[in-house]
Every structure is written in C-alpha cells, then in structure tokens.
Amino acid sequence: MAKIAVMGDYDSIYGFAALGLTTFAVDPEDAEAAIKEFKSIITGGHFGVIYVTEQLAVVLHDEIARYEAEMTPAIIQIPGVVGNTGDGVASVRRSVEQAVGSDILFGKK
C-alpha cells in the first residue's frame, strides 16, 4: 500500500507525523539537499502522495514539473508556516475542479 509523505520546514510539517504520515524536514534554504531528498523519496516508490510546502515547492519546481503528468506519486503543494504564495490553494482548487467538473468555490471568497 502506498504511503503519504510530507516535505517542508520542520515547523510546518511536524504535526503531520501525529497523523501517521511520513515527514521529511528539509530546509528550503539548502536547495541541493532538498532536491536530493526529493529524488530519494520519488525513486523509493513507496509514496503515492507527497505533500510539499509552498516554500519548498519553489525550490523543487523543476523536479516537481518532471512528475506532473505521472499518475503517481501525486505531488500536492500545501501552505506552510512561512513563505506561502497561494499556489497550494490554487493547485488543490484545480484538482477539485478537474475531479468534480466545476469550481465548487465559484463566487465565494
């Protein structure tokens, strides 16, 4: 069975471990280490879903783009404690819109 991973700065992801998710604390400032960790998670093949904080997704943009068309793993941006761009909410909204067939938040702010 595929597992769920969460990547980002420690302050943003530590709570996910209590939910049983596998967490990978990565400093977004260390791009080289972040890319290396991301590649090892992807090539391990154990994770069906990988949540990445928006701040870290900026660093991993090129790597994430390589897997956008793949069915698994699903790579989903989530807001973190800092460095939020709004891309995570927009990404989830697009996914829901695609799955449901319409914008469920139409007209709401």
Side-chain angles (χ1 to χ4, degrees), residues 64-85:
I64 291 172
R66 293 179 192 195
Y67 297 95
E68 272 184 358
E70 300 294 323
M71 185 68 92
T72 57
I75 302 168
I76 302 167
Q77 292 183 43
I78 58 172
V81 175
V82 295
N84 297 323
T85 62

Side-chain angles (χ1 to χ4, degrees), residues 29-46:
E29 303 295 321
D30 189 355
E32 186 176 325
I35 291 170
K36 184 177 179 180
E37 186 73 41
F38 182 76
K39 285 181 178 180
S40 71
I41 292 169
I42 292 287
T43 58
H46 303 293

